[in-house]
Amino acid sequence: MSKIQSYFKRLKPTNTDPESQSEQVPIVQESYQLPQASQFQSVQSPPQANVNIENLEADPGKRPSIYSMTSNPIEREDIRRAYLLKGPTQPILQPFPQTEMYGKMRRFNPKWYEEFGSWLEYSVSKDACFCLYCYLFDMEVEGSGSTQEAFVRVGFKNWQKKDRIKVHVGDHKSVHNRCYQADQDLMKQKQHIDIAFSNISEQQRIDYRIRLKTSLDCARYLLRNGQPFRGHDESKSSNQQGLFLETLKFYSKPNKEMSHVVLQNAPDNHKLTSPMIQKDLSQACADLTVKAIISDTGGDYFSLLVDEARDVAIKEQMAVVLRYVNKKGSIVECFIGIIHVSDTTAQSLKAAIDGLFSKLGLSLSKCRGQGYDGPSNMRGEFKGLKSLILADNPSAFYIHCFAHQLQLTLVKVAKHHKKIQEFFDMLQKMATVVGGSCKRKEILQMNQYEQIVERIVSGEIPTGKGLNQETTLKRPGDTRWGSHFGTVTSVISLFSPIISLMKIIKNEPKNDAARTDAGCILYAMEDFEFAFLLHFMKLILGISYELSRALQRKDQDLLNAIGLVKVVKSHLQEVRDNGFDELLQETNIFANKYDIDIPNMNDVYCHKGRSRRRLELFTFLHYFKVELFNIVINTQVQELDDRFDNVNTRLLECLSCLDPRDSFANFNKEKLIEFARFYPLEFDELADIPFLSSSVGNFIIDVRADSDFVNLKTISDLALKMVEKRKDIVYPLVYLLIKLALVLPVATASVEQVFSAITFVKDKLRNRISDDWFNSCMLTYVERDIFDKIDDEDIIQYFQGMKNRRMLL
C-alpha cells in the first residue's frame, strides 16, 4: 500500500492543455557545472509559494529547509531534482580560511572532494561542510535526528577529525545511505510507480526518440542562428505557424518515415512541439553550453567583464563575460549570461552578479581582475561595482577598458580644439542631410556608381573580385569605437558624389532648411582647410584605429596592450616631427583633383568672420603646421599619457619582467617576486615566496637556453609554449604568475559584441520574450562555437532529467 499511496501523493492537478499535462512539469533544472549544497535552518518557517527553481541558493550555509520553501510535495520533488542535477557545491578557494584547533591552525582540505565528491559540499559563508543527500532527504528518512545535525543544519568544521565524515557515511543502513538511495530512486524515473503502471512498447519509445531528436534539431538550428521560435498564429489553419513548426515540417517531409512519426502519427498530447517543450530544449542547450564553458575554466582564476545597456523592450540588461586561461595556455573570453536588472546602481549590479555566480557554482574568490568601460556606477572609488567587488576580493584588480579610453582621447581632441570640433560638426551635419531621405541616398549611390565607372575607364583604379564595393556615409559617434575614422575615410571616397548631391539639394525649391545646410556644407567642402583637416584626421585616426582594432582582440594581453599604446605615441611623435610636408603634399594633390583653391603658404592667414584688428598675424604655413598640426598631435599625445598613465602602476612595471622578447631582456627576479606579493592568497610569504625565488632563477636559465623560446613576442605566446613543452608542470609557480598576468582584462570588446547580438536576437517583434528564454537564446547564439560541440545525446538526456517526462528513453 505504501507504493500506491506514494503514487497518489505524486499525482498533479488536472491541466486543460493535453500536451502540457504530459510534458510540462515545472522546470526543475539549471544544470551547470559547479556544485550546489544544502542546509536546514528553520523547518517551522511558513511555506513559500511560487519557488523560483532557476535561482535556488547555492551556498549550503545559506539555504533554507526545503519544507520552508513549499508545502507542495511535487514542488519539493522538483527542487530536489534541480539540486541533484546541479551537483554539490564544491568551491576551490586559495587558500581555505584557517581556524585554530587545539593550538594548531586547521582548514578544510579540498582533496576531500575527490573522496566524497558526490555529496560533500563546502559553505564559504560558514566555513563548514555539509551533506547534499541528507539536506534533500533527511526529513523523509526514518531515524534522522541529532546525528545529522552537523552535516545538515549547523555544518561540520572539525577539520582535524576526518574520521567523523566516514562515521557520517556509516554502513548500508545509515541515514546517509538511505538518503543516497532516496536520491537514486528520485532520479531513476523508470522506477516511478506511474511509469511502472504505464504500458509502453519499444516502438513507442523509438517514435518518441525520433520526435524528440527532430524537435531538438530544429531548436538547435534556430538557436544557433538567433532566429525566433514562435509565430503570430500557430493554429492548424495558419499557413505560417512560426519558424519552429515550419522548420519541423520542412525538415521532416523529405523522409517519409520521419514525416509519418513526427507529423502524421504523433499523439495530440505528445507531439513535443509545445512552447514549453521549445523552452525546455532551449534551456537544456544553454545550460550545457555554460557547463562546457565553466568546465573549460578548470576551476581556475578568471577576470570579470561587465557592461549594461537597454534593449528594445526598454529593459536594462547586464552582460557578463569571463576571461580566463584554458588548459592549453590560451586566453579565452566567453559570455556566460545576460541578466535583467531593475536599476543600474552598483548594489543592484553586484547582487545580480552574486545571483548568477551562485546559480552557476562560480565564486568571486577566484576573480583576479575586473574590466568595465568606465561609468561611475562601475568604477566609483567608494560605491562603484569595482569597490564592492574589491571589498570582497582585494585581488580582483580593476583595469579600465583600453579601447574605451582610446575613444575618449579622440573625443577629447574633437571637443577641445575649436577647428576640429567644427570639422566633426560639419561631418555630422553632412551625414544628417544625406540620410534625410531615401531619394538623397539613391542619388549619392548613383553618383558613386558613375564615379567608379569613370575611374575604371581611365585606369585610375583596378578591377577584381571584392573591389570597388558600394559604400555609405558613416555617422560619427562618441561611443562607437573607430566610427570617426570610418566617417573620414567614407567622405574622402565619396567626396565628388557628395558635392554633386549638395548642389542638387541646394537648388531644391521647397526645403529651405535642407538648402541652407547643403549650402554650408558645400561652402566648407570647397575650402582648402576642410581638405587639409580631412586628410589630417585620416592620418591621426588611422594610427589610433589600428590600436583600437588590436585592443579588441580577445587574446590580447595587458603587457602587449601597454606596448601598443607606446608604439602609437611614438608614431604620433614621429609624424609631428617629420610628417607635415608629406601631409601637405597629399592635400594639394587632393585639392587639385577636385578644383579646390590652394592658398600660398607664405601669405598672411586671414581669420574668416573676424576682424583683423588686434590679431596676431601669421602665415598660412604657420597656421596649418603650428595652430592645427602640432597642437592637435600634442593634445592627442598628452591625452594618451593622461588616460593610460593610471595603468602604469607598480603592478605593470613588475609585469613587464615576464616579457619574452629579446631573450627575456626585461627579466628581473626582484620585480617578479614583488609581482607575486600582489597576490598573497596565491603566494604565501613563508611557504611559496622562497621557493619561487629559486624557481624563477632556474626558469630563466632554462628558457634562454631553449631555442623554442627564442622568437616569442608576447606573454600569451610564452604561456602557449610552456604548456606545449610541459614546462608549466616543471615550473608551476612561474606559470601561475603568467596566468595571473594574462587574466587581467584589456578591453570590454567581448561584452560590446554581446550587445550587438541583442539587437539581432531581440528585435521589435520579439520584445516580449521572457528573460530566461532570452538568456538561453543569447548564450547559444553568442557562444555557438561551443554550442556546436555539445552532443545531441547529452542534450536529450539532460532534457529528460529536467522534470518527469511521460516517456522514458
Side-chain angles (χ1 to χ4, degrees), residues 121-132:
E121 303 187 287
Y122 178 83
S123 169
V124 176
S125 62
K126 288 194 172 183
D127 183 28
C129 59
F130 294 81
C131 175
L132 175 61

Side-chain angles (χ1 to χ4, degrees), residues 690-750:
F691 180 71
L692 176 64
S693 178
S694 59
S695 181
V696 166
N698 294 335
F699 168 77
I700 198 65
I701 294 173
D702 188 357
V703 295
R704 280 176 173 171
D706 193 335
S707 59
D708 291 328
F709 289 80
V710 171
N711 297 319
L712 302 182
K713 300 298 182 183
T714 65
I715 303 180
S716 305
D717 296 338
L718 177 59
L720 288 168
K721 187 61 69 174
M722 285 189 69
V723 173
E724 178 186 341
K725 300 300 179 181
R726 301 181 64 82
K727 292 189 185 294
D728 58 320
I729 301 174
V730 180
Y731 306 106
L733 291 181
V734 177
Y735 185 65
L736 177 57
L737 276 178
I738 294 173
K739 284 197 299 183
L740 291 171
L742 290 176
V743 298
L744 290 173
V746 176
T748 59
S750 297

Side-chain angles (χ1 to χ4, degrees), residues 472-504:
T472 58
L473 184 60
K474 298 181 180 179
R475 186 183 299 272
D478 289 351
T479 59
R480 294 197 300 274
W481 302 336
S483 62
H484 291 78
F485 179 69
T487 301
V488 170
T489 54
S490 63
V491 170
I492 291 176
S493 64
L494 297 172
F495 195 83
S496 179
I498 292 174
I499 287 182
S500 301
L501 175 62
M502 291 302 131
K503 290 179 179 179
I504 294 173

Side-chain angles (χ1 to χ4, degrees), residues 585-599:
Q585 182 181 1
E586 183 181 357
T587 306
N588 288 338
I589 295 173
F590 182 83
N592 287 325
K593 179 179 179 179
Y594 294 105
D595 298 326
I596 298 174
D597 293 335
I598 302 175

Side-chain angles (χ1 to χ4, degrees), residues 323-456:
R323 176 185 173 94
Y324 60 92
V325 178
N326 65 13
K327 297 173 184 178
K328 297 180 181 179
S330 301
I331 302 173
V332 181
E333 291 183 2
C334 283
F335 169 59
I336 62 168
I338 190 162
I339 313 165
H340 172 217
V341 290
S342 56
D343 58 71
T344 57
T345 61
Q347 292 77 9
S348 297
L349 299 181
K350 175 64 163 53
I353 291 173
D354 287 340
L356 177 66
F357 274 34
S358 174
K359 185 170 72 172
L360 303 185
L362 293 169
S363 173
L364 276 175
S365 65
K366 306 292 288 185
C367 182
R368 291 297 176 268
Q370 309 175 61
Y372 316 123
D373 63 0
S376 58
N377 64 332
M378 296 285 194
R379 63 183 180 93
E381 291 294 331
F382 301 104
K383 295 184 179 180
L385 177 61
K386 173 193 78 173
S387 302
L388 295 178
I389 292 180
L390 283 173
D392 293 343
N393 182 4
S395 297
F397 296 105
Y398 167 72
I399 303 294
H400 189 173
C401 171
F402 273 41
H404 185 256
Q405 290 190 80
L406 179 62
Q407 180 69 12
L408 291 177
T409 66
L410 307 179
V411 173
K412 182 71 175 291
V413 172
K415 289 186 176 180
H416 288 75
H417 192 287
K418 182 180 178 181
K419 291 295 182 180
I420 304 300
Q421 183 178 7
E422 291 175 353
F423 171 75
F424 279 109
D425 287 345
M426 186 60 65
L427 295 186
Q428 185 75 39
K429 182 182 293 187
M430 189 184 301
T432 301
V433 171
V434 172
S437 71
C438 298
K439 178 182 177 181
R440 294 172 191 170
K441 288 185 177 181
E442 290 176 358
I443 293 174
L444 182 65
Q445 291 173 359
M446 183 58 67
N447 291 340
Q448 181 191 6
Y449 174 77
E450 293 174 354
Q451 174 187 268
I452 291 175
V453 172
E454 181 181 341
R455 295 175 69 184
I456 290 176

